Coordinates of all heavy atoms in Angstrom, one line a residue:
R1 N -3.1 -13.4 -1.7 CA -4.4 -12.9 -1.4 C -5.0 -12.0 -2.5 O -4.3 -11.3 -3.2 CB -4.4 -12.0 -0.1 CG -4.1 -12.8 1.2 CD -4.1 -11.9 2.3 NE -3.8 -12.5 3.6 CZ -4.8 -13.0 4.4 NH1 -6.0 -12.8 4.0 NH2 -4.6 -13.6 5.5
C2 N -6.4 -12.1 -2.6 CA -7.0 -11.2 -3.6 C -7.4 -9.9 -3.1 O -7.8 -9.0 -3.9 CB -8.3 -11.9 -4.2 SG -7.8 -13.4 -5.2
E3 N -7.4 -9.8 -1.7 CA -7.9 -8.5 -1.2 C -7.0 -7.4 -1.6 O -5.8 -7.5 -1.6 CB -7.9 -8.6 0.4 CG -9.1 -9.4 1.0 CD -8.8 -10.8 0.8 OE1 -7.7 -11.3 0.6 OE2 -9.8 -11.7 0.9
P4 N -7.7 -6.2 -1.9 CA -6.9 -5.1 -2.4 C -6.0 -4.5 -1.3 O -6.3 -4.6 0.0 CB -7.9 -4.0 -2.8 CG -9.2 -4.8 -3.0 CD -9.1 -6.0 -2.1
D5 N -4.8 -4.0 -1.6 CA -4.0 -3.3 -0.7 C -4.0 -1.8 -1.0 O -4.6 -1.4 -2.0 CB -2.5 -3.9 -0.9 CG -2.4 -5.4 -0.7 OD1 -2.9 -5.9 0.3 OD2 -2.0 -6.0 -1.7
A6 N -3.3 -1.0 -0.1 CA -3.3 0.4 -0.3 C -2.0 1.0 0.1 O -1.3 0.5 0.9 CB -4.5 1.0 0.4
L7 N -1.7 2.1 -0.6 CA -0.5 2.9 -0.2 C -1.0 4.3 0.1 O -1.7 5.0 -0.8 CB 0.5 3.0 -1.3 CG 1.3 1.6 -1.5 CD1 2.0 1.6 -2.8 CD2 2.3 1.3 -0.4
A8 N -0.7 4.9 1.2 CA -1.1 6.2 1.6 C 0.2 7.1 1.7 O 1.0 6.8 2.6 CB -1.8 6.2 2.9
A9 N 0.3 8.2 0.9 CA 1.4 9.0 0.9 C 1.1 10.2 1.8 O 0.1 10.8 1.8 CB 1.6 9.6 -0.5
G10 N 2.1 10.4 2.7 CA 1.9 11.5 3.6 C 3.3 11.8 4.3 O 4.3 11.3 3.9
S11 N 3.3 12.5 5.4 CA 4.5 12.7 6.2 C 5.1 11.5 6.7 O 6.4 11.5 6.8 CB 4.2 13.7 7.4 OG 3.3 13.1 8.2
E12 N 4.4 10.5 6.9 CA 4.8 9.1 7.1 C 4.0 8.2 6.2 O 2.9 7.8 6.7 CB 4.8 8.8 8.6 CG 5.4 7.4 8.9 CD 6.7 7.1 8.3 OE1 7.7 7.7 8.9 OE2 6.9 6.4 7.3
S13 N 4.4 7.9 5.1 CA 3.6 7.1 4.1 C 3.5 5.7 4.7 O 4.5 5.1 5.3 CB 4.3 7.0 2.7 OG 4.4 8.3 2.2
L14 N 2.4 5.0 4.4 CA 2.1 3.6 4.9 C 1.8 2.7 3.7 O 1.0 3.1 2.9 CB 1.0 3.7 5.9 CG 1.1 4.5 7.1 CD1 -0.1 4.5 8.0 CD2 2.3 4.1 7.9
A15 N 2.3 1.5 3.9 CA 1.7 0.4 3.1 C 0.7 -0.4 3.9 O 1.0 -0.8 5.0 CB 2.9 -0.6 2.6
L16 N -0.5 -0.4 3.4 CA -1.7 -1.1 4.0 C -2.0 -2.4 3.4 O -2.2 -2.5 2.2 CB -2.9 -0.2 4.0 CG -2.7 1.2 4.6 CD1 -4.0 2.1 4.5 CD2 -2.2 1.2 6.1
H17 N -2.0 -3.4 4.2 CA -2.2 -4.8 3.7 C -3.7 -5.1 3.8 O -4.4 -4.9 4.8 CB -1.5 -5.8 4.6 CG -1.8 -7.2 4.3 ND1 -1.3 -7.8 3.1 CD2 -2.5 -8.2 4.9 CE1 -1.7 -9.1 3.1 NE2 -2.4 -9.3 4.1
G18 N -4.3 -5.5 2.8 CA -5.7 -5.8 2.7 C -6.1 -7.1 3.3 O -5.6 -8.2 2.9
E19 N -6.9 -7.1 4.3 CA -7.5 -8.4 4.9 C -8.9 -8.4 4.3 O -9.4 -7.5 3.7 CB -7.6 -8.2 6.4 CG -6.2 -8.1 7.1 CD -5.3 -9.3 7.0 OE1 -5.9 -10.4 6.7 OE2 -4.1 -9.3 7.2
P20 N -9.7 -9.6 4.6 CA -11.0 -9.6 4.1 C -11.9 -8.5 4.4 O -12.8 -8.2 3.6 CB -11.6 -11.0 4.6 CG -10.3 -11.8 4.8 CD -9.2 -10.8 5.2
D21 N -11.8 -7.9 5.6 CA -12.7 -6.9 5.9 C -12.1 -5.6 6.4 O -12.7 -4.7 7.0 CB -13.7 -7.3 7.1 CG -14.6 -8.4 6.6 OD1 -15.3 -8.4 5.5 OD2 -14.6 -9.6 7.3
A22 N -10.8 -5.5 6.3 CA -10.1 -4.3 6.8 C -8.7 -4.2 6.2 O -8.2 -5.1 5.6 CB -10.0 -4.4 8.4
F23 N -8.1 -3.0 6.5 CA -6.7 -2.9 6.1 C -5.9 -2.8 7.4 O -6.3 -2.2 8.4 CB -6.5 -1.5 5.3 CG -7.1 -1.5 4.0 CD1 -8.3 -1.0 3.8 CD2 -6.3 -2.0 2.9 CE1 -8.9 -1.0 2.5 CE2 -6.9 -1.9 1.6 CZ -8.1 -1.4 1.4
T24 N -4.6 -3.4 7.4 CA -3.7 -3.2 8.5 C -2.4 -2.6 8.0 O -2.1 -2.8 6.8 CB -3.5 -4.6 9.1 OG1 -3.0 -5.6 8.1 CG2 -4.7 -5.3 9.6
V25 N -1.7 -2.0 8.9 CA -0.4 -1.4 8.5 C 0.6 -2.5 8.3 O 0.9 -3.3 9.1 CB 0.1 -0.4 9.6 CG1 1.4 0.1 9.3 CG2 -1.0 0.7 9.8
E26 N 1.2 -2.5 7.1 CA 2.3 -3.4 6.8 C 3.7 -2.9 6.9 O 4.6 -3.5 7.5 CB 2.1 -4.0 5.3 CG 3.2 -4.9 4.9 CD 3.1 -5.3 3.4 OE1 2.3 -4.6 2.7 OE2 3.8 -6.3 3.1
A27 N 3.8 -1.7 6.4 CA 5.2 -1.0 6.4 C 5.1 0.5 6.4 O 4.1 1.0 5.9 CB 6.0 -1.5 5.3
M28 N 6.1 1.2 7.0 CA 6.2 2.5 7.0 C 7.2 2.9 5.9 O 8.4 2.4 5.9 CB 6.6 3.1 8.3 CG 5.6 2.7 9.4 SD 6.0 3.3 11.1 CE 5.6 5.0 10.9
L29 N 6.9 3.9 5.0 CA 7.7 4.1 3.8 C 8.4 5.5 3.7 O 9.0 5.8 2.8 CB 6.8 3.9 2.6 CG 6.1 2.5 2.5 CD1 5.1 2.5 1.3 CD2 7.0 1.4 2.5
G30 N 8.3 6.2 4.9 CA 8.9 7.5 4.8 C 8.0 8.6 4.2 O 6.8 8.3 3.8
A31 N 8.4 9.8 4.1 CA 7.6 10.9 3.7 C 7.4 10.9 2.1 O 8.4 10.6 1.3 CB 8.3 12.3 4.0
A32 N 6.2 11.2 1.6 CA 5.9 11.3 0.2 C 4.7 12.1 0.1 O 3.8 12.2 0.9 CB 5.7 10.0 -0.4
N33 N 4.5 12.8 -1.1 CA 3.3 13.6 -1.3 C 2.4 13.0 -2.4 O 1.2 13.5 -2.5 CB 3.7 15.0 -1.8 CG 4.5 15.0 -3.1 OD1 5.6 14.7 -3.1 ND2 3.8 15.4 -4.2
D34 N 2.9 11.9 -3.1 CA 2.1 11.4 -4.1 C 2.5 9.9 -4.2 O 3.7 9.6 -3.9 CB 2.2 12.1 -5.5 CG 0.9 11.8 -6.3 OD1 0.0 11.1 -5.9 OD2 0.9 12.4 -7.4
V35 N 1.6 9.0 -4.7 CA 1.9 7.6 -4.9 C 1.1 7.1 -6.0 O -0.1 7.4 -6.1 CB 1.7 6.8 -3.6 CG1 0.3 7.0 -3.1 CG2 2.2 5.4 -3.7
V36 N 1.6 6.2 -6.8 CA 0.9 5.5 -7.8 C 1.3 4.0 -7.8 O 2.3 3.7 -7.3 CB 1.0 6.0 -9.2 CG1 0.4 7.5 -9.3 CG2 2.5 6.1 -9.6
M37 N 0.5 3.1 -8.4 CA 0.9 1.7 -8.5 C 0.9 1.4 -10.0 O 0.0 1.7 -10.8 CB 0.0 0.8 -7.8 CG 0.2 0.8 -6.3 SD -0.9 -0.6 -5.6 CE -0.7 -0.2 -3.9
I38 N 2.0 0.7 -10.5 CA 2.1 0.4 -11.9 C 3.2 -0.7 -12.0 O 4.1 -0.7 -11.2 CB 2.5 1.6 -12.8 CG1 2.4 1.3 -14.3 CG2 3.8 2.2 -12.4 CD1 2.6 2.5 -15.2
D39 N 3.1 -1.5 -12.9 CA 4.2 -2.5 -13.2 C 5.3 -1.8 -13.9 O 5.3 -1.9 -15.2 CB 3.6 -3.7 -14.0 CG 4.5 -4.8 -14.3 OD1 5.7 -4.8 -13.7 OD2 4.3 -5.7 -15.1
L40 N 6.1 -1.2 -13.2 CA 7.1 -0.3 -13.9 C 8.2 -1.0 -14.7 O 8.5 -0.6 -15.8 CB 7.8 0.6 -12.9 CG 8.7 1.7 -13.4 CD1 7.8 2.7 -14.1 CD2 9.5 2.4 -12.3
D41 N 8.6 -2.2 -14.2 CA 9.6 -3.0 -15.0 C 9.0 -4.1 -15.8 O 9.6 -5.0 -16.4 CB 10.6 -3.6 -14.0 CG 9.9 -4.5 -12.9 OD1 8.6 -4.5 -12.9 OD2 10.7 -5.1 -12.2
E42 N 7.6 -4.1 -15.9 CA 6.8 -5.0 -16.8 C 7.3 -6.5 -16.6 O 7.3 -7.3 -17.6 CB 7.1 -4.6 -18.2 CG 6.6 -3.1 -18.5 CD 7.4 -2.5 -19.6 OE1 7.9 -3.2 -20.6 OE2 7.6 -1.3 -19.6

C-alpha cells in the first residue's frame, strides 16, 4: 500500500496501519517515549 503508516510512542506504543481514509491499530509495541523511522540496515 502507498498509504502512510504511523508509530505513536507512549505508555503503550502503537503501530498504526494506514488505510485510504483512516489509520487502524496494527500492533502494540510496549512503552516508549520517542520513535523515529529510518532504513537503519540500509
Side-chain angles (χ1 to χ4, degrees):
R1 290 179 179 267
C2 293
E3 284 77 20
D5 308 299
L7 290 166
S11 58
E12 183 53 73
S13 302
L14 300 177
L16 303 178
H17 176 71
E19 302 288 348
D21 296 308
F23 291 95
T24 60
V25 176
E26 177 188 14
M28 304 179 74
L29 306 175
N33 64 281
D34 203 358
V35 59
V36 294
M37 288 190 190
I38 189 172
D39 182 9
L40 192 64
D41 55 353
E42 299 152 31

